Amino acid sequence: MAKADRLLKIITLLKGRRTVITARQLAEVLETSERTIYRDIQVLLDTGFPVEGEAGVGYRLQPGFEIPPIMFTAEQLLAVQLGLKMVQGWSDKELAISAEEARVKIEAVIPDRLKETNQQNCLLVSKHYLNTEAAQHSLSIRRAIQQQYYLTMAYKKADGEHSKRVLMPLGLVYWGQKWTLIAWCLLRHDYREFRLDRIQALVVESEKFSTDESINLTSYLKLLRELYGEQC
Amino acid sequence: MAKADRLLKIITLLKGRRTVITARQLAEVLETSERTIYRDIQVLLDTGFPVEGEAGVGYRLQPGFEIPPIMFTAEQLLAVQLGLKMVQGWSDKELAISAEEARVKIEAVIPDRLKETNQQNCLLVSKHYLNTEAAQHSLSIRRAIQQQYYLTMAYKKADGEHSKRVLMPLGLVYWGQKWTLIAWCLLRHDYREFRLDRIQALVVESEKFSTDESINLTSYLKLLRELYGEQC
DNA sequence: CAGCTACTGACAGTTTTTGTCAGTAGCCTT
DNA sequence: AAGGCTACTGACAAAAACTGTCAGTAGCTG
């Protein structure tokens, strides 16, 4: 087997595994010697490939590098760049930072001669939302959704009525200027949707919930589609 | 020079040029023989690198492949994915298609074990805007900005007053649910900003304009910053 | 058509790679 | 602490790949 092919196969094998793989295993699969595998790994390391090896353990990808490079066309990249500006203006502070990092990466790889004609320069996004209280709530809620923590929330409806709820947060929806939280409400025993700008107070509880086949975001969306068709 | 290094340098040289480069030129720069260059090019072709060569002409990158692959972390990718959803919901139909293509590309490369924990599934974006008249205008305006065509526009202010304007379109701003057009107005001889949802009629003229040091988007933004500070 | 280019095969000399062997060092379990 | 497992490295001879020269084919452009 040609060396270049073997290097690519090592990369593929490393990316397809959660657990470590030893030089012996690689040598068997690729029908070569362990010494050659050690040399190949060194070549990968020299070229910056994020592999790490521990004596007595084996090799694996360094955490955080499981996602391979993506190749976009110029048009797709314009959509990505505009989208990142929107995230910077209308999501939460953490996402805004990630979006800025992503934008810097993109700027770094665009050839100079493509920068002059880059349409994204003419597409701007306002940036006032991130300092609102709704945006602070947004970040807390997003984390609670991911880690599945109950929320206790004081809410004020459009008609001025106040209520207190204990919720299983499931998703966030962006409506342009407004975000809403989709949650299972323990008070009403049903799904409910709440506008983030009407939240009076919010506490992320330390108790975890779990979703199942009857209470989860996918079911709620399916329910909405049955009720309203494809408008959702 | 090592073969692997030379291959990378050929890629770099091809990416840095607008015009073709011959095998002789490559051989001189890389201090090797033309026969070796022909072999290297074949290796690049065999591995899928998008180079094309024409007898009597020379080599160049296939159009559409000037932008190299980009490697995002999981957090950055979350921002990209949310951003693409926002573009799909709140820009124009062309950008929405590009955004969908980009999303498909991303989905194709995310390893299966990372899909389960992918937070983007819980972040949704409403999709009603693209069928509005404002979104149709948005696409026409974006093209006119890029190609620098004058616009003739019938506009209705918030107070109900109608006006007709001839404009040099310079940029589009997203305010969440609303887009505005930044333009140089020939009627007022000054910059003006117009809400897309208040446009009554719009015609893209066949006459081209040109910007200079005094009339362009960057100057306008600088002017705004001097007037309002960093709020813009 | 002439001049330029990309392209390919053959071959001998040069360079790189490979597997075997021996030895070093670290991690994990008992 | 010892043993078994792993990653790691240098040396060397044999095998493989690469390189430049040469000769010839084919296509593009003015």
Side-chain angles (χ1 to χ4, degrees), chain A residues 211-223:
Chain A
T211 56
D212 55 33
E213 312 85 45
S214 51
I215 308 181
N216 65 66
L217 187 64
T218 307
S219 300
Y220 178 62
L221 294 180
K222 188 176 169 190
L223 192 66

Side-chain angles (χ1 to χ4, degrees), chain B residues 48-88:
Chain B
F49 188 72
V51 57
E52 64 185 7
E54 279 180 87
V57 182
Y59 295 111
R60 68 183 171 179
L61 269 192
Q62 281 174 31
F65 286 91
E66 294 93 343
I67 298 164
I70 305 171
M71 196 175 257
F72 296 113
T73 63
E75 290 76 33
Q76 287 159 6
L77 204 53
L78 175 60
V80 168
Q81 284 174 302
L82 173 59
L84 288 170
K85 286 181 180 179
M86 287 176 164
V87 168
Q88 273 187 275

Side-chain angles (χ1 to χ4, degrees), chain B residues 108-156:
Chain B
V109 303
I110 295 189
D112 287 343
R113 67 185 170 87
L114 286 185
K115 276 179 182 163
E116 308 161 8
T117 60
N118 195 346
Q119 295 181 52
Q120 72 102 11
N121 294 320
C122 303
L123 302 174
L124 309 173
V125 174
S126 68
K127 294 186 184 174
H128 302 299
Y129 179 73
L130 288 204
N131 297 318
T132 64
E133 201 166 352
Q136 325 300 334
H137 294 322
S138 193
L139 178 53
S140 304
I141 292 168
R142 187 163 62 83
R143 283 183 183 147
I145 292 170
Q146 189 195 5
Q147 292 157 27
Q148 296 191 320
Y149 283 118
Y150 282 102
L151 294 178
T152 301
M153 176 178 73
Y155 192 73
K156 176 176 163 182

Side-chain angles (χ1 to χ4, degrees), chain A residues 65-102:
Chain A
F65 287 91
E66 295 95 342
I67 297 164
I70 304 171
M71 196 175 257
F72 296 114
T73 64
E75 289 77 34
Q76 287 160 5
L77 204 55
L78 174 60
V80 167
Q81 284 174 301
L82 172 60
L84 288 170
K85 286 182 180 178
M86 287 178 165
V87 167
Q88 273 187 276
W90 292 98
S91 61
D92 62 61
K93 286 199 170 167
E94 231 177 53
L95 280 170
I97 289 168
S98 299
E100 176 62 23
E101 289 174 4

Side-chain angles (χ1 to χ4, degrees), chain A residues 52-231:
Chain A
E52 65 186 7
E54 280 180 87
V57 183
Y59 296 112
R60 66 183 172 178
L61 267 192
Q62 279 176 31
F65 287 91
E66 295 95 342
I67 297 164
I70 304 171
M71 196 175 257
F72 296 114
T73 64
E75 289 77 34
Q76 287 160 5
L77 204 55
L78 174 60
V80 167
Q81 284 174 301
L82 172 60
L84 288 170
K85 286 182 180 178
M86 287 178 165
V87 167
Q88 273 187 276
W90 292 98
S91 61
D92 62 61
K93 286 199 170 167
E94 231 177 53
L95 280 170
I97 289 168
S98 299
E100 176 62 23
E101 289 174 4
R103 282 185 61 198
V104 168
K105 273 189 180 177
I106 292 169
E107 281 293 319
V109 303
I110 294 188
D112 286 343
R113 66 183 170 91
L114 287 184
K115 278 180 181 163
E116 308 161 9
T117 60
N118 195 347
Q119 296 179 51
Q120 71 102 13
N121 294 323
C122 304
L123 302 174
L124 308 173
V125 174
S126 68
K127 295 186 184 174
H128 302 299
Y129 178 74
L130 289 203
N131 296 321
T132 62
E133 202 167 351
Q136 325 300 335
H137 294 322
S138 192
L139 177 53
S140 303
I141 291 168
R142 187 164 62 82
R143 283 183 182 149
I145 291 170
Q146 189 194 7
Q147 292 158 24
Q148 295 191 317
Y149 283 119
Y150 282 103
L151 294 177
T152 301
M153 176 178 72
Y155 192 73
K156 173 177 166 182
K157 284 189 188 173
D159 58 15
E161 183 188 337
H162 291 252
S163 67
K164 187 161 187 177
R165 311 288 182 106
V166 178
L167 308 171
M168 290 157 57
L170 300 173
L172 283 164
V173 189
Y174 177 64
W175 302 89
Q177 280 187 344
K178 301 286 181 289
W179 284 86
T180 56
L181 159 66
I182 297 176
W184 177 268
C185 175
L186 295 210
L187 179 67
R188 306 292 188 213
H189 289 293
D190 200 4
Y191 297 107
R192 285 292 187 271
E193 202 163 350
F194 306 94
R195 276 180 43 163
L196 267 54
D197 54 340
R198 292 185 185 149
I199 295 175
Q200 302 292 303
L202 185 75
V203 175
V204 180
E205 302 295 346
S206 49
E207 194 181 350
K208 284 201 166 213
F209 68 90
S210 45
T211 56
D212 55 33
E213 312 85 45
S214 51
I215 308 181
N216 65 66
L217 187 64
T218 307
S219 300
Y220 178 62
L221 294 180
K222 188 176 169 190
L223 192 66
L224 285 190
R225 272 193 220 104
E226 284 164 5
L227 286 179
Y228 300 115
E230 273 295 331
Q231 296 180 31

Side-chain angles (χ1 to χ4, degrees), chain B residues 3 12 39 51 67 98 101 103 105 116 144 146 171 186 190 201 207:
Chain B
K3 182 178 172 177
T12 302
R39 288 195 182 105
V51 57
I67 298 164
S98 298
E101 290 174 4
R103 281 186 61 198
K105 272 188 179 177
E116 308 161 8
Q146 189 195 5
L186 294 211
D190 201 1
E207 195 183 350

